[in-house]
Amino acid sequence: MYPPRSRLLTAVLVCLLSVVAVRADAQHTHHWYAYSAPEFYGPTVSAEYVRKATTAAPQYVGLYWGIYQDYDMCSLDGIAEDPECPAPFYGFATNDAKPVAWSDNGAGGTFGKLVGSTFTALGSGVSADEVDTYRLPTTPCAIQIQMQVDDFQPTTEDPNVSSYNDGAVWSDPVEFTVWEFTIDNPVGSWVPALNASRTFTAEIRPLTDHASNSMARVITFRITPCSQEEGYCLNANRNEGDDYDTEGNDLKFIPALNEDLDVTSTDAPAGRHYDQAATPGSETDATATVTCLDYGAYGEVSALAVLFDAEYTNAHVEGALANSSVQMPTDVLPAAQGQQPAGNHIADASSHDGSGAAGNEDDDDPEGDGTPGDRLSRYEEYRGLKVNASWTQLDPTRKDVFIRNVHGLDASALTTENLGAPVHYMQATEVDDYRAINFKYSTYHLGAQTAIRIINGEYNNNGDWGASHAIGRSVPNNEDFCKVYVDLINADAGPPSPRLDGGIGSSDTTIQVDDTYDYQNTTEHGVGGHFKIDSEVVAYTNKSATQFTGCSRGQGGTTAASHADEAKVTWFAYPNYQIRSTFAHEAGHLMELEHMPDFWETGGWHNIMNLSLLAGATVGNGDWHVFRDAGRGEDALEDEFCVVP
């Protein structure tokens, strides 16, 4: 704003100065009086309101000013010019004037000269009459700038004549306001969690401007953009129909926690996003509490106000003034993932952030057939799911197995240790009708991951102990069913355990028995098996009708020993060898299920203790995998389980 040009007058002090000037025809003595104070224009600045810079670099405003000459009068009475005053004066003399000092009345700024990007402060090689720039103070405030001007002798008409020496004069104050509107960043290392919250504070400074007007305005907080994942994790909703429900925005201004604000929804009246909260009246300070309603929530919080005729002005983020919103959670790394400009919607403070994109699934443990991934994206494993009534976050480096024990059968062998992968037991409400465990989703969803159903296959007239049926290649865990027929096994005769046909020593690798029966053969599945003699576990790679060959003695921490003729040989499914990996859960990646009971002598065949999941055996559409066990002995199996992935 440019103030009108004004002439600043000082009180005229009548002071006679005698300067002798020789005229051609006579000697003339000048009697000089102040005719006016030094005339000048300015200073002025380019705007009445200047916002603080968005960087730590100094901020400047230009100063505009002009100096005119000072006029003195040669007079005998101080009222009218002396008619005898000779040329070149003819009764009036002029003096040059220039700035001699600058002041911002204690605001804390600095005057100087700016050339290109180089600022030199007044007094550091820059004189007052060279000043053209004002470096703003770092604190918002109202500022009054003044320039002091003085005249200099001799007169411009005659360098040998000095006229009246006026006193230095100050300009009228040039007033403007350096202001800022900020929102703090309370997020820090916060990671989303159900009901977790953060309180944001917005401030307008200074409290009053240079004209003593209040800077208070209606301050409006907003959450936009914001995630809108279904539920609050991969498989659970909560409190549908109230303010804390998990539908709509995952970050909300809950009205009960923001009683001093008017909380509204931009989608009103259709929903309760609660994404806007405003002060009822004008304020210079306001606070708003944001509540998290999803373990994978992400969004941005901002504050706005109508300032200086602008439609809306965004608050700058304290400590990062170039930003106009606060990420919640902090998510700036890793950048350039190919899916978003920065970040991956995973909190930087989370161990899940790593260096991976939110949509990848590079889990490689266990190795299985070498296919990475478990059909759960990094973001989904970070977001987590409800497992046995408790929210659980998954490890993005490991393949996970999910089990739904429909009939409560003995599944004690299905453990993380035995399967080589994390095992999670799901309740009925934690899977959908299609067995999916990640059915509440929106972002970075690679497809349905399903739970293995353990069911009682009851009775089968075909005499089969178990069967599985694949229904497609494109979905992981896509067996239509895989059953063990418990009632049939209970009715069948138990298999006789082989007996040693002659004693063996502790180093024998070929073991003779009376009959190997239907023990697993290496040619069928590409691996051998295990059996147990007394307390020693023995691995074998092949078998014939009466021999186990390629035997490795003392497996599983047992000790190789000699065994007597007729010692019982028990089929043993050793979990840490054969149960090395489970379903890779990768799209199009199928695994073949094998049910290998551990035969115990005490009480007959009771409790199937081990499940062998052999990675890498591809199953075609419509193939059936039947495990027939016939010709059993008198012992009976008391309970059993089956697996439906």
Side-chain angles (χ1 to χ4, degrees):
M1 173 178 174
Y2 294 90
R5 176 177 164 185
S6 62
R7 174 177 295 180
L8 304 177
L9 301 178
T10 59
V12 177
L13 300 176
V14 178
C15 178
L16 180 63
L17 295 176
S18 295
V19 178
V20 178
V22 180
R23 292 175 56 184
D25 57 341
Q27 189 78 16
H28 178 75
T29 300
H30 295 286
H31 299 275
W32 295 109
Y33 292 84
Y35 183 75
S36 70
E39 290 190 9
F40 54 90
Y41 166 72
T44 64
V45 294
S46 57
E48 260 192 298
Y49 295 94
V50 180
R51 190 170 191 178
K52 277 187 61 179
T54 58
T55 67
Q59 187 176 7
Y60 306 99
V61 294
L63 299 174
Y64 307 96
W65 53 272
I67 299 295
Y68 304 99
Q69 292 176 314
D70 170 55
Y71 294 92
D72 293 328
M73 180 174 65
C74 179
S75 174
L76 296 175
D77 57 6
I79 298 174
E81 67 268 24
D82 183 352
E84 299 298 321
C85 182
F89 300 103
Y90 299 111
F92 291 93
T94 58
N95 296 301
D96 288 330
K98 63 182 179 181
V100 294
W102 292 84
S103 172
D104 65 0
N105 294 286
T110 304
F111 296 93
K113 185 175 182 61
L114 185 65
V115 178
S117 60
T118 302
F119 177 81
T120 305
L122 175 64
S124 299
V126 171
S127 59
D129 62 332
E130 295 178 299
V131 168
D132 62 5
T133 302
Y134 178 65
R135 185 170 63 196
L136 298 179
T138 57
T139 302
C141 61
I143 297 174
Q144 294 181 336
I145 286 180
Q146 290 181 281
M147 176 178 68
Q148 190 183 46
V149 176
D150 200 2
D151 63 342
F152 288 84
Q153 300 297 326
T155 64
T156 58
E157 291 83 0
D158 187 340
N160 296 311
V161 176
S162 294
S163 62
Y164 185 79
N165 186 12
D166 298 74
V169 295
W170 285 100
S171 68
D172 288 335
V174 176
E175 297 180 320
F176 66 101
T177 298
V178 176
W179 64 278
E180 185 53 285
F181 176 31
T182 60
I183 183 172
D184 68 346
N185 184 351
V187 176
S189 59
W190 179 84
V191 174
L194 202 59
N195 294 338
S197 64
R198 283 292 183 268
T199 298
F200 294 80
T201 299
E203 298 179 346
I204 301 174
R205 293 293 182 273
L207 301 180
T208 57
D209 66 8
H210 58 276
S212 299
N213 298 316
S214 173
M215 293 283 284
R217 301 290 193 277
V218 172
I219 297 175
T220 302
F221 295 91
R222 287 182 180 173
I223 305 172
T224 183
C226 184
S227 60
Q228 294 185 10
E229 300 291 326
E230 289 193 40
Y232 64 83
C233 62
L234 295 177
N235 61 349
N237 277 333
R238 190 193 66 179
N239 298 334
E240 294 186 25
D242 66 18
D243 289 347
Y244 285 86
D245 71 20
T246 55
E247 299 301 314
N249 276 9
D250 296 331
L251 299 171
K252 296 182 181 181
F253 298 112
I254 300 298
L257 301 180
N258 294 277
E259 293 181 343
D260 294 333
L261 302 175
D262 294 331
V263 177
T264 56
S265 300
T266 55
D267 69 333
R272 292 184 307 281
H273 286 325
Y274 294 143
D275 54 356
Q276 185 166 281
T279 59
S282 295
E283 303 287 348
T284 56
D285 300 73
T287 59
T289 297
V290 177
T291 300
C292 176
L293 297 173
D294 195 288
Y295 285 99
Y298 56 88
E300 296 182 16
V301 182
S302 59
L304 304 95
V306 178
L307 290 160
F308 317 123
D309 299 325
E311 182 176 356
Y312 273 110
T313 298
N314 282 87
H316 290 159
V317 179
E318 287 183 7
L321 295 180
N323 298 335
S324 58
S325 61
V326 180
Q327 284 187 317
M328 191 175 183
T330 302
D331 176 29
V332 296
L333 296 173
Q337 292 295 330
Q339 300 179 54
Q340 56 278 325
N344 56 3
H345 298 325
I346 296 174
D348 289 348
S350 170
S351 60
H352 285 67
D353 194 43
S355 59
N360 72 8
E361 52 158 348
D362 53 6
D363 321 51
D364 57 7
D365 180 22
E367 181 181 6
D369 72 344
T371 303
D374 59 3
R375 200 60 182 272
L376 294 171
S377 69
R378 179 180 290 268
Y379 173 77
E380 286 189 318
E381 297 194 89
Y382 156 79
R383 190 177 174 222
L385 72 165
K386 200 171 180 182
V387 176
N388 198 22
S390 297
W391 177 76
T392 302
Q393 201 170 43
L394 305 177
D395 185 342
T397 67
R398 304 202 67 191
K399 302 170 185 176
D400 294 275
V401 177
F402 303 93
I403 295 173
R404 171 73 190 113
N405 194 346
V406 177
H407 294 141
L409 301 175
D410 180 9
S412 57
L414 293 174
T415 64
T416 298
E417 179 182 4
N418 284 352
L419 294 181
V423 176
H424 310 281
Y425 283 86
M426 314 298 290
Q427 294 186 2
T429 57
E430 295 167 354
V431 298
D432 69 2
D433 293 340
Y434 301 96
R435 311 187 317 276
I437 56 88
N438 57 340
F439 54 91
K440 296 290 182 182
Y441 63 87
S442 175
T443 303
Y444 304 119
H445 180 67
L446 304 178
Q449 175 55 283
T450 53
I452 301 169
R453 284 187 294 176
I454 302 174
I455 66 172
N456 185 345
E458 298 181 348
Y459 200 84
N460 184 338
N461 290 324
N462 294 327
D464 301 324
W465 276 37
S468 63
H469 179 209
I471 58 174
R473 287 178 174 274
S474 61
V475 181
N477 289 357
N478 67 347
E479 309 299 324
D480 185 28
F481 60 79
C482 185
K483 302 178 180 180
V484 174
Y485 297 103
V486 176
D487 291 349
L488 177 62
I489 295 173
N490 287 336
D492 275 352
S497 293
R499 302 279 178 170
L500 287 181
D501 186 5
I504 60 172
S506 61
S507 60
D508 289 344
T509 58
T510 298
I511 296 177
Q512 190 79 23
V513 294
D514 55 8
D515 193 333
T516 58
Y517 297 102
D518 53 358
Y519 276 37
Q520 180 183 352
N521 192 311
T522 183
T523 58
E524 183 179 356
H525 296 290
V527 296
H530 292 75
F531 54 81
K532 196 173 184 181
I533 309 175
D534 299 328
S535 61
E536 179 189 357
V537 175
V538 178
Y540 64 92
T541 60
N542 213 331
K543 74 182 184 80
S544 65
T546 58
Q547 281 187 335
F548 294 104
T549 59
C551 295
S552 297
R553 306 293 298 276
Q555 299 296 295
T558 62
T559 301
S562 298
H563 301 282
D565 183 26
E566 294 296 319
K568 188 174 293 185
V569 177
T570 304
W571 187 11
F572 181 77
Y574 175 52
N576 289 334
Y577 179 79
Q578 292 182 246
I579 308 172
R580 192 59 74 179
S581 64
T582 185
F583 308 101
H585 306 338
E586 182 73 26
H589 175 57
L590 303 180
M591 298 298 179
E592 184 179 76
L593 285 169
E594 280 292 333
H595 303 271
M596 301 183 64
D598 181 11
F599 301 124
W600 294 79
E601 290 300 304
T602 305
W605 280 15
H606 71 286
N607 297 326
I608 301 301
M609 297 301 295
N610 298 291
L611 171 67
S612 176
L613 303 176
L614 306 179
T618 301
V619 181
N621 290 340
D623 287 349
W624 289 80
H625 304 281
V626 178
F627 309 102
R628 178 184 296 276
D629 297 288
R632 304 306 183 188
E634 297 300 327
D635 295 332
L637 180 66
E638 296 176 358
D639 58 6
E640 183 44 295
F641 63 85
C642 63
V643 177
V644 178

